[in-house]
Amino acid sequence: TACLCGGVTPAQATVSAPPPPAPGSPAGANDWSCHPTAAHPRPVVLVHGLGANMGESWQYLSPLLAAGGYCVFALTYGVVPRLILPPSGRTGGMEPMESSAQELSAFVDRVLTATGASRVDIVGQSEGSLMPDWYVRFLGGAARVDHYVAITPLWHGTNVLGLAALTGSVRPLGLPAVLGAVVGLLCGSCPEFVSGSAFLDRLNADGGPAAPGVTYTNLMTRYDQAVVPYTSGMLDAPGVTNILVQDQCPTDAPEHGTMAYDPVVGRDVLNALDPAHARPVGCGPAPPLAG
């Protein structure tokens, strides 16, 4: 696939020698001297998925967005100190999502203070497409988030490896709570992803998960091996656009982990953030992954 994204200029900084970005930041992200332009008035906050970090997740999209004129920021959240693993050094997304949403809230506040913007746009993948909605729904984020672009979302959870069905079958025995507690010792967020979890029930209650006033774009692939079924990423609500990559480019076949490196997805993200200047998606051979 080919991304049509020329003719753009980088966002302008107000000082000639900005402080260095945080260690592990992807290229193009975390220049705290960056101030949004009139063309792109909202900073973009990138939110990685389970077991990942900002550096390894956003090698493609972060520089793409920065080259497109956006102030780009990224964080690594939900790190459990006992689970810092090589080679990345920081394994994020492992804490319960309610806790990680608190981290995201503080980070967004820092971004807004530094940039002078009133709202941000969020681009997240996998857990990063789900966890921020807790911030939006329950921590005041709806007043601070404008566009919410979800890559491989799982609004209704996942039944990967039949976990949801298994959990339902043993619930009368009282085992889900025990299993969840054991898994939660290592990965607090993991039990929350399974369809029917208390986390998802709360997020989908009271008219959720889509929050009024926030514009959602869901980007899915038919070949998602982690979000099962991939249609868990679809929402039927005002202000929501659902996009299946294969409806645009039938031969494009990214799986769960490679969606954030796919040029079709890159163009979809750019179009979602700036729909007034949306450009056609180009279909062709994808470039090799970097890193």
Side-chain angles (χ1 to χ4, degrees):
T1 52
C3 176
L4 308 174
C5 39
V8 291
T9 57
Q12 299 297 311
T14 59
V15 295
S16 58
S25 295
N30 294 337
D31 176 358
W32 293 95
S33 68
C34 187
H35 286 267
T37 63
H40 300 304
R42 296 180 303 275
V44 177
V45 175
L46 302 175
V47 190
H48 64 74
L50 174 66
N53 58 57
M54 61 178 169
E56 68 184 26
S57 296
W58 304 116
Q59 295 178 41
Y60 173 66
L61 281 176
S62 178
L64 178 71
L65 290 165
Y70 290 92
C71 291
V72 181
F73 297 89
L75 76 162
T76 297
Y77 66 90
V79 175
V80 178
R82 64 181 179 275
L83 291 179
I84 294 179
L85 304 174
S88 64
R90 287 175 64 80
T91 303
M94 307 295 283
E95 293 281 16
M97 284 188 272
E98 299 91 331
S99 173
S100 292
Q102 295 278 359
E103 289 187 60
L104 177 62
S105 176
F107 187 79
V108 169
D109 285 348
R110 183 185 175 197
V111 169
L112 294 177
T113 298
T115 61
S118 60
R119 304 183 88 176
V120 302
D121 292 336
I122 284 178
V123 177
Q125 182 185 21
S126 191
E127 181 179 352
S129 73
L130 180 66
M131 177 274 288
D133 205 50
W134 191 273
Y135 161 61
V136 169
R137 293 281 318 282
F138 306 124
L139 301 178
R144 296 174 176 86
V145 176
D146 195 294
H147 285 64
Y148 189 132
V149 184
I151 302 170
T152 63
L154 58 162
W155 300 112
H156 308 292
T158 181
N159 190 30
V160 64
L161 302 178
L163 288 178
L166 175 63
T167 300
S169 67
V170 299
R171 183 171 283 116
L173 304 177
L175 294 179
V178 175
L179 294 173
V182 172
V183 174
L185 290 174
L186 295 176
C187 175
S189 63
C190 290
E192 298 179 322
F193 294 116
V194 179
S195 300
S197 71
F199 177 89
L200 290 167
D201 285 348
R202 174 79 192 281
L203 201 64
N204 283 276
D206 301 322
V214 178
T215 300
Y216 293 79
T217 302
N218 299 314
L219 303 176
M220 296 157 286
T221 175
R222 184 174 284 116
Y223 303 103
D224 197 321
Q225 79 281 31
V227 178
V228 180
Y230 73 86
T231 51
S232 177
M234 293 185 178
L235 289 178
D236 182 12
V240 176
T241 299
N242 299 306
I243 299 174
L244 180 64
V245 165
Q246 287 76 35
D247 285 345
Q248 300 172 310
C249 299
T251 61
D252 192 33
E255 45 80 39
H256 186 83
T258 58
M259 279 280 282
Y261 291 88
D262 189 87
V264 171
V265 174
R267 171 43 57 190
D268 283 329
V269 169
L270 290 169
N271 288 347
L273 296 176
D274 188 8
H277 300 93
R279 300 178 62 179
V281 169
C283 302
L289 296 181

